[in-house]
Amino acid sequence: MSAETAVDETTRLRVATAWLGGCSGCHMSFLDLDEKLLDLAAMADLVYGPLTDTKEFPPNVDVTLVEGAVTNEDNLELARAVRSNSRYVVSFGDCAVSGNITSLRNSMGDPTELVRRVYVDHPDINGHFPSEVVPALLPHSEPLHEVIPIDVYLPGCPPSAERIWTLLSRLLESLAAGEGIPDLTWRGPEDLRFG
Amino acid sequence: MRPRTGPRPNVPVTIDGVEHQAYEGETLLELARRVGVRIPTLCHLEGLSVYGGCRLCVVEVAGDRRLSPACALEVTAELEVTTQSWDLHEHRRRIVELLFAEGDHVCAFCVSSGSCELQDLATEHDVDHIHYDFAHPDQAVDASHPKYSLDRNRCVLCTRCVRVCDEVEGAHVWDMAMRGSQGRIVAGMDQPWGEVADCTWCGKCVLVCPTGALSFKGRATSEMVHDPDVVAFLAAAREDGEWLDRKADA
Ligand code: SF4
Ligand code: FES
């Protein structure tokens, strides 16, 4: 992408990230892009995510990286908002891709018991069912693609910065050139891999 | 791979359009490995009997509508097979995905992550997510053995442990029980492993396990390294009489 198009506000690409039921490790790995973050800033604006101070998911986003499984009502709402407002959604990291650790609770059945263990039985004092701030758990924790259609999958726990950059740079270059999803054959510097 | 003695290979077999000479009685997998053609496998292990259960090694045989498992396919003259095609790739990818879906193979905190044949097969077959619903089984973990532990949620029922214990160690601690999604491996008469007196603590089952199902106790995430090749080594050494007292024989 030439420097000229990079600074043209009307064509600047809009990138977002979202944090659902995950540990934020994928976002940490995203920060590990280090100096590549400058390259990213030259290519696109970061318009939403835990790293920005925006409350509502904005419209007209080109690419959104979504970390985490869909495990509670807030996750579900945000996942849907992401899908409605993003051209391309990336299932970002093993929790989003496969449910991973967040979904281990599924084999335990009814989440009410889980909440009781954590919030009622476990605290030394004042144990009670949370009634505000903590969103209600869904009956099952699901991978993101069970809830919204996904364009690109990026496994790894977390995906390394190289893996993220391979995807993001190719995707953004392709979008800047007016093309769709590029051929993301992963025989690159690093193979695609769970875990 | 063992060097062969005796007659030269003289069974003509065509793999992916290239003709090779196979030994009589050789399996297609043995031939393929001998000539450097990669066919993915999971349940098969050199040095153990053929099980043919996982179907990862399937190939297309000319003139046969069905796919054949290379590990159990004995060569015949003029056999013609295809080992790589889009259909085979898809077929194998689906098997890998189904294995992931029916267990709880959470690579992120598995003792064997990095030394796992299932994880490698996923990478090899471009598995970037699982199309099927996860079963999230709640299979029992058996940590009753002082040295080893078994997490059945990570078991792919390859029966390598069953076979190595029976055929190489001669203890026959392991067996398969139940069917379908209830299928599981059991120790002794379905006892806690630690209570099975027949177990010699040799650890071969742990070394050959392709996943994180069997592991050494005390290993944390990614710290378990399996060594399935130990079986081929033992089988070869036995065949050569490595441990016989040669002076006594003479
Ligand atoms: S425990 Fe391991 S070696 Fe035994 S059947 Fe299961 S996956 Fe195979
Ligand atoms: S390796 Fe041939 S069927 Fe499993």
Side-chain angles (χ1 to χ4, degrees):
Chain A
M1 179 156 57
S2 74
E4 256 162 79
T5 45
V7 291
D8 178 354
E9 291 302 325
T10 56
T11 62
R12 271 188 62 88
L13 292 167
R14 289 156 63 81
V15 172
T17 68
W19 178 16
L20 310 183
C23 71
S24 105
C26 296
H27 275 86
M28 292 297 149
S29 201
F30 182 83
L31 287 181
D32 281 342
L33 285 175
D34 297 337
E35 75 279 6
K36 296 269 178 17
L37 287 169
L38 299 176
D39 298 344
L40 178 62
M43 289 166 116
D45 288 332
L46 198 57
V47 295
Y48 180 87
L51 310 170
T52 66
D53 189 21
T54 316
K55 300 291 175 236
E56 295 284 313
F57 195 84
N60 298 323
V61 177
D62 292 296
V63 179
T64 306
L65 304 180
V66 185
E67 166 191 337
V70 180
T71 194
N72 65 35
E73 285 171 355
D74 283 8
N75 297 157
L76 186 59
E77 204 186 306
L78 181 52
R80 289 183 175 149
V82 166
R83 185 66 274 185
S84 315
N85 294 291
S86 314
R87 280 166 78 196
Y88 298 106
V89 176
V90 180
S91 185
F92 179 33
D94 277 2
C95 289
V97 169
S98 72
N100 206 26
I101 294 172
T102 311
S103 296
L104 278 178
R105 70 167 168 99
N106 289 354
S107 61
M108 297 178 211
D110 183 2
T112 316
E113 279 316 300
L114 197 71
V115 177
R116 185 195 309 281
R117 279 276 284 280
V118 175
Y119 287 92
V120 182
D121 299 347
H122 207 67
D124 293 337
I125 50 161
N126 245 348
H128 67 281
F129 277 100
S131 54
E132 41 191 317
V133 182
V134 180
L137 290 175
L138 299 170
H140 274 97
S141 170
E142 301 281 4
L144 192 59
H145 64 259
E146 293 289 341
V147 174
I148 55 169
I150 299 299
D151 300 297
V152 183
Y153 295 85
L154 184 61
C157 184
S160 67
E162 289 82 64
R163 231 183 257 182
I164 298 172
W165 187 243
T166 307
L167 171 95
L168 210 52
S169 57
R170 286 195 210 168
L171 194 52
L172 292 179
E173 271 161 24
S174 164
L175 294 187
E179 290 157 17
I181 300 182
D183 177 19
L184 294 164
T185 317
W186 285 91
R187 307 279 178 249
E190 198 194 354
D191 271 343
L192 213 54
R193 193 176 183 78
F194 292 121
Chain B
M1 188 106 343
R2 304 265 291 152
R4 292 218 181 204
T5 52
R8 289 203 179 91
N10 62 355
V11 185
V13 172
T14 306
I15 303 181
D16 300 329
V18 180
E19 188 175 304
H20 304 277
Q21 300 298 320
Y23 290 104
E24 221 156 288
E26 205 171 24
T27 64
L28 184 72
L29 181 66
E30 286 170 322
L31 168 65
R33 288 191 174 170
R34 201 161 52 71
V35 299
V37 173
R38 158 94 185 149
I39 298 176
T41 56
L42 181 59
C43 67
H44 182 269
L45 190 61
E46 194 188 333
L48 298 181
S49 61
V50 171
Y51 175 51
C54 74
R55 283 354 222 197
L56 248 317
C57 67
V58 283
V59 295
E60 293 163 2
V61 178
D64 193 344
R65 237 167 29 84
R66 297 158 307 172
L67 301 177
S68 289
C71 67
L73 177 66
E74 203 173 298
V75 295
T76 47
E78 310 303 338
L79 181 69
E80 233 184 283
V81 301
T82 305
T83 69
Q84 299 295 335
S85 69
W86 182 244
D87 280 356
L88 285 172
H89 181 86
E90 281 300 285
H91 191 84
R92 292 168 183 154
R93 181 178 61 71
R94 275 174 207 176
I95 294 175
V96 174
E97 286 194 22
L98 283 166
L99 288 172
F100 270 97
E102 80 173 349
D104 247 342
H105 299 277
V106 188
C107 303
F109 71 107
C110 178
V111 272
S112 297
S113 182
S115 173
C116 174
E117 294 176 42
L118 185 63
Q119 195 183 26
D120 291 344
L121 284 166
T123 297
E124 180 178 346
H125 293 93
D126 306 312
V127 176
D128 62 3
H129 71 292
I130 312 298
H131 291 80
Y132 307 100
D133 287 351
F134 285 89
H136 292 293
D138 197 7
Q139 294 254 37
V141 171
D142 185 344
S144 60
H145 194 286
K147 275 183 78 176
Y148 315 120
S149 70
L150 163 64
D151 181 353
R152 291 188 175 87
N153 300 297
R154 299 189 189 276
C155 172
V156 293
L157 300 177
C158 68
T159 74
R160 282 188 190 180
C161 55
V162 177
R163 286 174 284 152
V164 80
C165 189
D166 178 42
E167 297 165 16
V168 181
E169 181 61 7
H172 200 131
V173 167
W174 295 111
D175 266 303
M176 282 279 301
M178 314 303 276
R179 312 170 144 230
S181 61
Q182 298 302 307
R184 62 198 169 89
I185 61 155
V186 293
M189 305 302 284
D190 199 358
Q191 296 157 273
W193 187 1
E195 288 172 21
V196 179
D198 286 344
C199 177
T200 63
W201 295 34
C202 77
K204 291 189 189 71
C205 54
V206 179
L207 292 178
V208 301
C209 182
T211 69
L214 288 166
S215 64
F216 295 134
K217 274 191 171 172
R219 302 282 162 105
T221 300
S222 298
E223 288 182 356
M224 178 69 215
V225 179
H226 298 275
D227 183 15
D229 294 344
V230 73
V231 176
F233 168 79
L234 287 175
R238 266 191 196 172
E239 217 166 286
D240 297 346
E242 290 280 356
W243 294 295
L244 295 181
D245 187 341
R246 289 176 202 238
K247 269 186 253 123
D249 279 354

